[in-house]
Structures are given as structure tokens and as C-alpha cells.
Amino acid sequence: MKTLLLVALAAYIVAAIHAVLGFINRRRALERVAHASLAAGFSVHTAALAVDWFRDRVYPLFHRSETLSFLGWALVLFYVFVFRRYRTHALGSFMLPLVALLVLAASLMQADGRAMPQLLATGEAAWLFPIHTTSLFLAYAAFFVVFIASVMYLLQERELKLKHFGMIFHRLPSLATVDEISAVATSIGFTCLTLGIIAGMSWSFARDGRAWRNDPKEVLTALTWLLYLLLLSQRYVAGWRGRRAAWIGLAGFTLVLCTFFGARLMGGYHVFG
């Protein structure tokens, strides 16, 4: 529902502004306002997604406006998870402005007709579609956390090498904390991505007997899965940490962006979202 989404957007904007100001000024009062606004926005946003689902009787993850809105929702979910575990206030100054931008873009877009969703969301194994799409978007959100953690690690490392302990150094988490956040988010993202791929292939096979279509989005998703598999395996087998893992995290997110935005420009089967 557009009205609820606009209310959520207003709350997210307030949260983003206060998170950035709190990061710059190191004032906990600003961060408390940010979190209160974020909680209000997330609650209303969740209600908006639920209303759309029950009103249209179609899982709200087909059109671009819906995917941007849900991605913003998933980013908030992961931010809350990371903050509650690590108390990293700095993460909000990176993530919450993006959440506000995604929800703003979603609120400005007009959804297309419902003919295509009704066609695709019915039939055998239709229940796999929500698992497929939700898992993939949770993976995208987790990989964004990996990206932000990688950026924070490289910034912190640069400050240490230059022995220039400025604002960035004193406001970001320690290298060990940032590296652990990246490792946990990579594990969660890879698990969600794997589940999403399996559900998508099973759904496609149940519909028309084809699990793989050689679609640009499928190819890019497979490459993304392989890259994060490499990162995870080398973290736990070869002991990759720190700078090397951070650079791979940046490369992995580049593939995620290509999958989410670029694949649509290449055409193919995955025309929704």
C-alpha cells in the first residue's frame, strides 16, 4: 500500500539522517533517535508488504518497485541482526541512507499490471516461488553487509598503515570485528543464495521440465555462487582473512550488482524484478 510505504520512507529518512549525524558527532542521543525511527519504519514497512500480499493474493516480489522495496526491508533486517550482535553504530551510517533511497525509488515507481505474476505464480510447485525470491533477496542484503564490512576493513587498514588516526579510524569497529562481521554475513548470504538457487531450479523444473535456461541472470548468479564459495572455502581451509577477503568481498558485490541490475538489460527469462 502506497500510503504505508510513504510513512515507512519518512521514518527511514529520519533514521538515515540521524545515523549519519551520530556517526560524525559520536552522539548516542542521535543514534537512539535513528534506531527508534528505524523500528517504526520497519514495522510500517512490514505492514505495507503484508497488505500488498493479502490484497493481491500474489507474493509481492515480481515488479521492480516491489523488489526495491523488499531489498530495503531485507537490509534493515540484516542491519538489526548485525547491530544486536556487534553493536556497530557505524554500519547504520552506511546502510540506512541506502535503505531510504531504495524505498524512495520504490515509492516513485508505478507497478506494472498483474497478468504476468498471476500466470507465473500459479500451477504446480508455485509455493517454491516465495522461497526462491525471498532467499535471493536475503542473500543480496547479506552480501551488501559483506561489501560494507570490506570497505570498512580497507579504510581501517589504510589508516593504520599511514598512522593517520583521524575520524574514520576512531568511529569504525576494530579490524577483527569487521572481519568477523564479513565472515558471518558471507556464510548467511551463501546459505540463502544456495537455497534460492535450489528453489528456483526446482520451481522451473516443476513448471516446464527445465531447471536451467542459460539465462543471463542464471549465469551471473552461478558465478556469484562460485565466487562466494571460493571466499568461504579459503577462509576456513586456507585461512584467508583481512585484506584478501575484503577485496574478494568487493568483487563479489560487483557480481551481485550485475545480477540484480545488469541481467535485466541483457534480456532473458528473468524479466520481472
Side-chain angles (χ1 to χ4, degrees), residues 7 17 52 72 83 104 136 143 145-146 159 164 176 179 187 194 196 211 263:
V7 173
I17 292 173
D52 285 344
F83 178 78
L104 173 62
L136 290 181
F143 292 146
V145 173
V146 176
E159 294 275 298
H164 178 266
D179 189 63
S187 299
T194 303

Side-chain angles (χ1 to χ4, degrees), residues 28-203:
R28 291 291 181 259
L30 292 171
E31 292 168 350
R32 286 195 291 271
V33 173
H35 287 161
S37 299
L38 184 66
F42 185 74
S43 299
V44 176
H45 196 177
T46 303
L49 292 173
V51 167
D52 285 344
W53 188 3
F54 287 112
R55 180 195 63 198
D56 299 324
R57 297 185 181 276
V58 175
Y59 197 66
L61 260 176
F62 277 98
H63 301 295
R64 180 58 52 139
S65 59
E66 296 170 338
T67 58
L68 292 177
S69 174
F70 191 86
L71 182 57
W73 182 88
L75 284 172
V76 175
L77 190 67
F78 269 93
Y79 169 70
V80 172
F81 166 75
V82 173
F83 178 78
R84 288 180 64 86
R85 183 164 180 173
Y86 298 100
R87 296 292 168 181
T88 51
H89 292 274
L91 194 64
S93 62
F94 290 93
M95 293 186 67
L96 299 190
L98 177 60
V99 170
L101 286 174
L102 288 170
V103 177
L104 173 62
S107 66
L108 293 175
M109 289 182 179
Q110 295 293 328
D112 301 326
R114 288 286 175 174
M116 181 182 66
Q118 292 289 358
L119 175 64
L120 292 176
T122 57
E124 187 177 355
W127 57 273
L128 286 169
F129 176 77
I131 298 175
H132 168 58
T133 52
T134 302
S135 298
L136 290 181
F137 277 85
L138 290 176
Y140 295 156
F143 292 146
F144 182 74
V145 173
V146 176
F147 169 76
I148 293 300
S150 299
V151 170
M152 290 195 294
Y153 188 97
L154 294 172
L155 288 174
Q156 280 279 58
E157 186 188 51
R158 182 175 180 274
E159 294 275 298
L160 286 170
K161 284 186 175 181
L162 296 176
K163 300 188 185 308
H164 178 266
F165 307 121
M167 183 187 76
I168 293 295
F169 179 83
H170 292 291
R171 284 161 175 73
L172 294 181
S174 67
L175 290 178
T177 299
V178 171
D179 189 63
E180 185 179 346
I181 291 173
S182 180
V184 171
T186 300
S187 299
I188 295 174
F190 181 77
T191 301
C192 290
L193 182 62
T194 303
L195 177 60
I197 291 172
I198 293 172
M201 294 178 72
S202 301
W203 178 52

Side-chain angles (χ1 to χ4, degrees), residues 14-35:
V14 172
I17 292 173
H18 283 79
V20 172
L21 292 177
F23 176 76
I24 295 172
N25 299 320
R26 301 189 71 178
R27 293 181 59 184
R28 291 291 181 259
L30 292 171
E31 292 168 350
R32 286 195 291 271
V33 173
H35 287 161

